[in-house]
Amino acid sequence: MASDNPEFEQLVNRGYAHGFVTDIDSDTIPPGLNEDVIRMISAKKKEPEFLLNWRLRAYEHWLTMKEPNWAHLHHTPIDYQAISYFSAPKSRDDAPKSLDEVDPKLLETYEKLGIPLHERARLAGVAVDAVFDSVSVATTFKGKLAKAGVIFCSFSEAVQLHPELIERYLGKVVPYTDNYFATLNSAVFTDGSFVFIPKGVRCPLELSTYFRINAANTGQFERTLIVAEEGSHVSYLEGCTAPMRDENQLHAAVVELIAMDDAEIKYSTVQNWYPGDEEGRGGIYNFVTKRGDCAGRNSKISWTQVETGSAITWKYPSCILRGDNSVGEFYSVAVTNNMQQADTGTKMVHIGKNTSSTIVSKGISAGRAQSSYRGLVQVMAGAEGARNHTQCDSLLMGDKCGAHTFPYIEVKNPSARVEHEATTSKIGEDQLFYCRQRGISEEDAVNMIVNGFCKEVFKELPMEFAVEAQNLLCVSLEGAVG
Amino acid sequence: MLKIDNLHARVEGREILKGLSLTIGEGEVHAIMGPNGSGKSTLVQVLAGRDDYQVTSGSVTFLGKNLLDLAPEERAHEGLFLAFQYPVEIPGVNNTYLLKAALNSMRKHRGESDLDAVEFLALIRDKMKLMEMDASFLNRGVNEGFSGGEKKRNEILQMAVLEPRLALLDETDSGLDIDALKVVANGVNSLRSADRSIVMVTHYQRLLDYIEPDFVHVLSAGRIIRSGDKSLALELERRGYDWVLKEALEESQA
């Protein structure tokens, strides 16, 4: 129970605690987007020819595309020429060799975020590839991972050290022509993470990255690529916070996962970017493309996400179930409060035989927020014996918010079994009164009921993330009732 | 312990309690009986502080405090407990979790430290034995998929853990078979003490065979029209309510 925790009062009363700005000079390219900017990014990062050409092809293609408008979202138009496409902490030129060399202010920032890097890494056994703005500044546990043959580094580093892997896998799951935001990302992405788990290796650590948007007006274009070879296993955690800024910031990340025969990738996200104030001013626009390719037989990709932040969330982590007997999972909690809007869900594309997928989506709306679940379950003609189970629940708090469900099902094979369940409920006065009669405050009762509602998803998260996710929910829904 | 004076209350614009007065002393067990719609459930909901019940006049003093000034959770902290007629389900919230949160909120109010998981488990296992409840109960959601009897037993288990000063039992006997009724009554009886008062709202004399009241009141049209000892309940069982109502009418006209 939250009230057991002396920090709880503090927690709910601090508003958006992560809304501070670190005062570090940024090496920033002036706003605007054109071919020269892309060449400049590529040059600054000393990229090989193939990557520059790939970026340029993406940019050319992007110019022919239109921003999608099918989602249940409303926002002022994004001025892509007002965004600065590159920003790096200044100390980058003499990049730190160890944590001791990291700018103390940066470390302080992580402290404020509750991520004492060294401690957390040591205590929790988590290797952290911390992304501050667009460039990685610290990577830990390299040794232990290297011993297992695991590659876990920033994307830029991977481009330098393992260009053949990048060339082989980049854009294979999300091609540069995929969609407006993914294409933009392909042209201008600055950094991200790269993970390679070799054949038969079970990654000895949970891998984790903390993203953070810092410099004003800087779009974040992260690129993550995870490759799990035959029989390997990896669990990757991603968590994010952002400082308070009064201008909308665009975030268009791309995550690609590839699982070979018998490989398993578990990808967990806790997303807590600045959602804007009560009137909806400020806040992050989060347009993300996440897709996993279950390329091999018996492979498995599992997405778990807890989305509490951002003014706008547009995100559909998907699985392409190509390998026979492959498994795709999507567990999601999306919380929207005040003026937040979320249009999120998943795609499960069944191509191989006996493929199965599970979708559990929990949407919570409060204030004047709008939350939509949008899911596609597609069973191709050759997907003999495909199975899907979708469960989609919405919880409403108050009478000014909305929850919407857009399930699409396309089945081209008669042996498929596809199930869809959906419920919408309100937090009952009866439930609240029951808890309060037992001495539990209204705020705590709401947290308890909401956390109960999300339990099925939280149990999929690694322990430390589950706790963090519950705390996030408390903060996100503060003042939503009463 | 509790003094209700000339209480008037409305629900959805309709006046249900019309000048109810009742005094309950320490350690006393009172039964409130009466025909359907007489205001029995309204009375306990008003005492527990339910929002949609509006008190229009009158006063309620509980252990020297103005009860009507307190929020529902504050009333609970002062020692008021309501065993619900229809306990709600809260999916995904563990029984143990709710009960531990409730107990620790009481302890915090009394300036005591939280019980840790081990201490709490020892306490609750003890009480579960009393209510003849299965250990699997601990890991189930609050009232989730419980039978009627299990829900009522759970209410009394909560009462046993929270140890209130005043317990309001709202038709705790309804929907129970005779074996379950005995278990529930046994639980309640074991909680009787000199500093704990109990108010039972019930339709049936049957419950009073197992939990013997010190006083019995008949509620009709929002007022208490007759009070007596347990023999009143037996008389009601034999003769029905009509004669009490008639006598009350004659008294008011006299």
Side-chain angles (χ1 to χ4, degrees), chain A residues 14 39 46 75 108 144 158 189 220 300 414:
Chain A
R14 73 188 180 188
R39 286 180 188 281
K46 302 185 178 69
H75 59 86
E108 206 181 295
K144 193 166 179 187
F189 74 91
Q220 283 276 297
K300 178 177 175 183

Side-chain angles (χ1 to χ4, degrees), chain A residues 1 430 434 436 438-439, chain B residues 50 73 77 82 97 155 158:
Chain A
M1 182 61 223
D430 287 344
Y434 190 80
R436 294 178 74 188
R438 297 302 182 248
Chain B
R50 178 102 203 195
E73 57 269 33
H77 293 155
L82 169 60
Y97 189 75
E155 293 296 289
Q158 294 187 6

